Amino acid sequence: MKRVLLFAFMLALVSTPGFAAKNPSINIPEDVKVGSTLVPAGDYNLSITGTGPDVQVTINQGKKAVVSFSAKEVQAKGLTGISAGGSGKVPTLEAIQLHDVNLVVEDAPHSAQ
């Protein structure tokens, strides 16, 4: 019985990162613009579709899609966060850093309403 539980636990540990990598969560600490869409500060889930390096990223709040955009996956290890910049009052999202990959915003996104 102990072997079965140990095997199930190990399988869960190995399987979880694969599922988590495609639907990670992110905290956006300040309002940012993604194209013409304002994304308020808060906690969001990401949906990432496609196989790298070109992917489609959707920022979701609950079950509601807030905005969707094309991005390039760049392999990198580091802390989770965002990069934003620009000259306006509200910074523009440039990249989302996840544990193993950065998602660099490519072209003008479209609102996912």
Side-chain angles (χ1 to χ4, degrees), residues 17-43:
F19 291 114
K22 285 297 179 184
N23 295 305
S25 59
I26 186 80
N27 175 272
I28 298 178
E30 62 181 316
D31 295 355
V32 294
K33 286 183 90 174
V34 183
S36 61
T37 303
L38 177 68
V39 179
D43 294 318

Side-chain angles (χ1 to χ4, degrees), residues 10-107:
M10 294 301 286
L11 184 61
L13 286 177
V14 172
S15 301
T16 302
F19 291 114
K22 285 297 179 184
N23 295 305
S25 59
I26 186 80
N27 175 272
I28 298 178
E30 62 181 316
D31 295 355
V32 294
K33 286 183 90 174
V34 183
S36 61
T37 303
L38 177 68
V39 179
D43 294 318
Y44 295 91
N45 293 314
L46 302 177
S47 297
I48 304 168
T49 54
T51 54
D54 298 314
V55 295
Q56 188 71 24
V57 179
T58 303
I59 297 175
N60 302 297
Q61 191 164 43
K63 293 187 177 191
K64 180 183 176 193
V66 176
V67 68
S68 183
F69 58 91
S70 297
K72 280 259 192 231
E73 281 187 340
V74 178
Q75 296 300 314
K77 297 234 183 237
L79 299 174
T80 301
I82 67 165
S83 294
S87 59
K89 288 184 179 181
V90 178
T92 300
L93 182 68
E94 296 173 347
I96 298 173
Q97 295 89 30
L98 302 175
H99 181 67
D100 292 331
V101 68
N102 289 346
L103 302 169
V104 180
V105 178
E106 282 195 325
D107 52 8

